[in-house]
Amino acid sequence: MHSVTATTFDDWRLSARTFLQAEIEPSAIRWIDHRSLATQAQQDLFGTSVPLSPALPLPADLANSNRTINVPASFLSIAKTVSFHRSPSRWENLYGILWRLSHGEKHLLSIASDPDVIELAAMEKAVRRDAHKTKAFVRFRSFRDNDGERFVAWHRPDHYVLRYVADFFCRRFDVMRWSILTPDESCHWDGAKLTFSEGLPRSSAPADDEIEELWKTYYANIFNPARIKLKAMQAEMPKKHWATMPETELIEPMLRDAPRRVEQMIQYTDSIASAQSFVPQQKDIAILREAAATCQGCALCHDATQTVFGSGPENSRAVLVGEQPGDNEDQMGQPFVGPAGKLLREVLHASGIDEQTIYMTNAVKHFKFTRSGKRRLHKKPSAREVAACRPWLQAELETIRPKLILCLGASASGVIFGPNFRITEQRGQWYSSPYADRTLATYHPSALLRAPQDKAAEMRREFESDIGEFAKAFHAL
């Protein structure tokens, strides 16, 4: 059994090359992680039975082989990243894969189900994630020493990533003098040279500084309460890092205040651009249609030919909601009369639905477009324009009170279900919405017309399937 210690990638690479040239199998090597030994010694007040020596000497007869070793360049890149992982088994895993790559398994890395490859990939991912968090969560505090201002941060990474990310900080803060301290080691930049030293406890770094209040003020102002995803935020920003991040003390008060701020934002948005003031109190489709003809709730009314309101029986059991009128609809004043509407009506007819029994409307009532010569090309309405027009759709749905709603496309689905709805992931599934117990979403027929050739057939099948589900529910009413 051969024993060898390694601390860095270069240590492992030198030893691995020597063993490989001598045809020493992985089972005949005991890899010792020097950093783990150091940690063990620090934690054991009575010392350790394992000597903390530098790399153990290799057998003299292994040094003279000149065998050429060829492995994929991607492996060396992955191996270098994995060398920063904290697991003592990383050196053994790397040599085992190196051995297999050089002994007839040159495509090993492409076998995702191989246990060694799985472990390798997991360690690489863990190091990259930890490096990302180090770049994001390091917070410098300023203080003055004999040479002037210096910035010091203390951080506790999961792995030995300080050397992995040090160049990033050198490039980003090249005109500052700074130090990043971690329990394992520390690095220091003087404006020209990067050096490393031993690890230090958190008490070695300043607890705060005079610019901390400015940073917290900035963070509070960029915090958007309407986009809170608490689980995702806690997964991305583990609490173990909160102690060194001054802005985290603001999170809980801001979360408590989020509902009030969201309501404030909605009221502010409504006051900027909204059709609400044009919507009459009386809920009757004919009255709503007449009132909508003079709507100036947003700027789209200035370029469109006319308001294209919903069409169909007021007592319909089902409502179809699209995005906005197109060029043909804008000129004729009727929804779904262009090419996309023709496709929709064909599929409805094939599913046994009489279109005259369904109320059809759009989330936005005016045509938005850009000009290309004499042509008017469809342009997707912005979120603010969709929100401005929402009072009309809301009034239509509250008047009709449908049993079923079919949303066509992402904009319509967003208005009914909210901004987190994903048409590609959630289409074809029944949900309860604020406007109907059974609401289904599918592609907008115009998306089928614009789809690339290799996707069009599959989207058409899914669209027809969704319409078929809608038709079953409609006939069962």
Side-chain angles (χ1 to χ4, degrees), residues 12 16 19-20 24 29 31 91-99:
W12 171 85
F19 282 123
L20 202 62
I24 306 297
I29 304 172
W31 291 94
W91 306 123
E92 180 180 348
N93 172 272
L94 289 174
Y95 186 74
I97 290 181
L98 176 64
W99 175 269

Side-chain angles (χ1 to χ4, degrees), residues 316-319 402-405 438 470-477:
S316 177
R317 295 167 297 173
V319 170
K403 300 292 184 183
L404 305 174
I405 293 178
R438 304 197 72 191
F470 181 77
K472 288 179 188 176
F474 181 73
H475 294 312
L477 290 175

Side-chain angles (χ1 to χ4, degrees), residues 128 190 215 385:
R128 290 188 181 281
D190 62 3
W215 166 244
E385 289 161 346

Side-chain angles (χ1 to χ4, degrees), residues 326-358:
D327 190 30
N328 291 297
E329 287 85 357
D330 174 71
Q331 296 179 40
M332 299 176 66
Q334 289 290 321
F336 298 103
V337 294
K342 182 181 178 182
L343 171 59
L344 173 64
R345 292 167 194 272
E346 286 177 0
V347 178
L348 286 174
H349 180 71
S351 301
I353 293 181
D354 179 359
E355 64 184 61
Q356 300 299 324
T357 63
I358 301 238

Side-chain angles (χ1 to χ4, degrees), residues 66-205:
N66 292 319
R67 176 194 167 199
T68 300
I69 301 170
N70 294 316
V71 294
S74 60
F75 171 70
L76 292 179
S77 174
I78 295 172
K80 191 166 187 178
T81 301
V82 168
S83 71
F84 296 104
H85 199 278
R86 190 174 292 274
S87 171
S89 68
R90 64 193 183 283
W91 306 123
E92 180 180 348
N93 172 272
L94 289 174
Y95 186 74
I97 290 181
L98 176 64
W99 175 269
R100 294 175 63 185
L101 286 170
S102 58
H103 286 77
E105 297 184 67
K106 62 181 180 180
H107 299 301
L108 174 63
L109 296 181
S110 64
I111 304 175
S113 59
D114 184 274
D116 288 340
V117 175
I118 291 174
E119 183 181 359
L120 182 77
M123 287 194 287
E124 184 198 22
K125 182 179 180 181
V127 170
R128 290 188 181 281
R129 180 176 174 80
D130 199 35
H132 167 72
K133 291 189 181 305
T134 300
K135 293 175 184 177
F137 297 157
V138 160
R139 297 288 183 268
F140 289 106
R141 267 95 175 188
S142 169
F143 79 103
R144 289 192 171 276
D145 59 17
N146 294 334
D147 296 323
E149 188 174 32
R150 187 175 191 85
F151 296 86
V152 178
W154 189 86
H155 183 67
R156 188 178 60 181
D158 291 331
H159 303 286
Y160 305 120
V161 297
L162 193 56
R163 291 174 187 263
Y164 188 65
V165 301
D167 286 345
F168 166 83
F169 288 98
C170 290
R171 293 193 302 271
R172 188 162 187 176
F173 305 112
D174 58 339
V175 298
M176 296 164 44
R177 293 191 310 126
W178 52 260
S179 296
I180 301 176
L181 317 180
T182 81
D184 302 305
E185 64 179 337
S186 305
C187 68
H188 315 277
W189 174 254
D190 62 3
K193 185 179 178 182
L194 182 69
T195 56
F196 290 85
S197 64
E198 74 280 3
L200 291 169
R202 181 184 168 192
S203 58
S204 301

Side-chain angles (χ1 to χ4, degrees), residues 419-471:
N420 292 326
F421 190 88
R422 296 290 177 266
I423 193 73
T424 54
E425 300 171 5
Q426 295 173 274
R427 50 145 285 279
Q429 303 175 46
W430 287 106
Y431 296 96
S432 176
S433 73
Y435 307 104
D437 290 339
R438 304 197 72 191
T439 304
L440 190 74
T442 188
Y443 302 117
H444 194 285
S446 63
L448 275 64
L449 298 176
R450 296 195 301 266
Q453 191 171 8
D454 59 331
K455 299 276 181 122
E458 182 181 355
M459 291 180 67
R460 175 67 183 252
R461 284 194 296 273
E462 293 174 340
F463 179 72
E464 291 177 344
S465 174
D466 296 340
I467 295 290
E469 287 298 314
F470 181 77

